[in-house]
Amino acid sequence: MKHTYNITGMTCGGCKASVEKYLGDINNVTNVSVNLEKGVAEVTMEKHIETKVLKDALPEKYTLSEKKEEKKEIPAVDFGEEFEKSKFEQLKPLFLIIFYITTAGILLNYKNWNWSSFMLDFMGLFYIVFSFFKMLDLKGFPDSFRMYDPLAKRVPIYAKIYPFIETALGLMFLMRFEITIALIITLVILGVTTIGVTKTLLDKKAIRCACLGTALKLPMTEATFIENAIMIIMAILMLTI
C-alpha cells in the first residue's frame, strides 16, 4: 500500500535524503519517494503503519502529517439534457454509417435508377460494413450478442458464426447470387434479433448493442429496432415485388 504525507522542515537535497533514509529504515516500509519542491513524501509499505510511528522516526526539525485529499465541488448539471446529449453522441457512429451506406447505394444507381437495385446494394453494403466491425473482436462479440438475441442464447455456436453469416449475405446481395434465399435468411435472423431487441427495450434493460461489434460502445435503443426494421421491410418488399 502507498500513502502520501506532507513534510515540513526540508530546505535542501540533504534534508530530502535524510527523510528518505529515516523513513526507509522503518520496518515494513519498502520504498520512500520525497518531493522537495512540493514538500510531500510517498511511502510504500507492506502493511499499515501508524502516522505516529513515522513522525517519531524523523528528527524534531521535520514535521510529518497525513495528506488529505482535496474535495472537489461537483457543478450542477441538467441530467436530462446531459443524458440526451450523451445518448445522441453514442449513437452518432450508427447514424453516420447508415448515412454513408445510403449515399453509396444512391451513387451506385443514380444513372439508371432502380429501386430494387438500390435496395439490394443497400442491404449488401449494410451486411458487409456491420460484419466488418464484428470481425474486429470475434471473441468478445458473441457474449454481447447473446445478451439479447434469443437464438444466440440457446445456440452458442450461432453467436460465433453470425459475423460470417452477415458477410456471406452481403456478398450474395452485391453479387446478385441466390437473392431469394438471402432475403429469406435475412427475414429469419433479423426477425429473431428484433424480437430480442424489442423485449430488451420493453424491459428497459441498459445493455450494449452488438450491431457494430464491441469496437463501438452503442446503447441498446429504439435506433437498433429501427435499423433492423428497415432491413426487414426491404426484404419483404423484395420478395413481394
Side-chain angles (χ1 to χ4, degrees):
M1 62 182 69
K2 182 184 293 185
H3 296 286
T4 304
Y5 301 90
N6 291 316
I7 306 287
T8 60
M10 297 186 298
T11 58
C12 62
C15 295
K16 173 181 179 296
S18 295
V19 170
E20 288 180 339
K21 178 183 181 302
Y22 287 121
L23 294 179
D25 289 340
I26 299 173
N27 288 335
N28 297 314
V29 171
T30 58
N31 185 62
V32 179
S33 177
V34 175
N35 188 310
L36 181 62
E37 290 75 22
K38 294 182 179 180
V40 297
E42 284 191 349
V43 182
T44 305
M45 53 193 75
E46 294 179 346
K47 63 180 182 179
H48 180 69
I49 299 173
E50 295 290 337
T51 304
K52 185 178 184 304
V53 175
L54 300 174
K55 288 180 178 180
D56 293 343
L58 294 175
E60 291 184 2
K61 65 174 292 189
Y62 304 116
T63 302
L64 179 146
S65 61
E66 292 186 39
K67 185 175 177 63
K68 296 181 179 179
E69 295 183 0
E70 297 180 359
K71 294 183 178 179
K72 297 181 180 179
E73 293 185 2
I74 302 176
V77 178
D78 185 344
F79 289 103
E81 182 180 348
E82 185 66 24
F83 176 77
E84 290 300 325
K85 180 180 178 182
S86 62
K87 186 176 181 181
F88 173 78
E89 288 297 326
Q90 290 174 0
L91 289 173
K92 187 187 292 184
L94 179 61
F95 294 142
L96 283 174
I97 289 171
I98 292 178
F99 170 76
Y100 279 111
I101 290 174
T102 303
T103 302
I106 293 172
L107 292 175
L108 288 171
N109 296 276
Y110 81 97
K111 287 187 177 180
N112 298 301
W113 183 257
N114 181 285
W115 275 105
S116 295
S117 181
F118 164 74
M119 287 191 286
L120 288 174
D121 287 332
F122 178 94
M123 296 174 77
L125 291 171
F126 180 96
Y127 276 130
I128 293 296
V129 172
F130 278 62
S131 65
F132 163 76
F133 282 99
K134 295 178 179 69
M135 293 287 188
L136 293 177
D137 186 13
L138 287 174
K139 291 184 178 179
F141 167 75
D143 291 333
S144 297
F145 192 49
R146 279 194 291 265
M147 292 182 68
Y148 61 86
D149 187 276
L151 183 56
K153 289 179 182 178
R154 293 174 177 267
V155 187
I157 189 66
Y158 173 66
K160 293 182 178 180
I161 65 173
Y162 187 82
F164 299 97
I165 294 175
E166 283 196 335
T167 300
L169 288 171
L171 293 174
M172 290 173 73
F173 283 125
L174 293 174
M175 297 174 66
R176 308 299 194 259
F177 176 75
E178 298 292 348
I179 294 175
T180 301
I181 294 176
L183 291 170
I184 293 174
I185 295 174
T186 293
L187 287 176
V188 173
I189 65 173
L190 292 187
V192 171
T193 302
T194 302
I195 292 173
V197 170
T198 304
K199 186 176 185 303
T200 300
L201 292 174
L202 292 176
D203 292 342
K204 296 182 178 180
K205 293 180 180 178
I207 65 174
R208 182 188 300 178
C209 172
C211 57
L212 289 175
T214 58
L216 299 176
K217 298 180 180 179
L218 298 177
M220 178 68 72
T221 67
E222 294 80 358
T224 310
F225 175 85
I226 295 171
E227 161 206 327
N228 284 356
I230 291 173
M231 290 287 284
I232 291 173
I233 292 172
M234 283 188 173
I236 293 174
L237 289 174
M238 290 299 299
L239 285 171
T240 56
I241 290 176

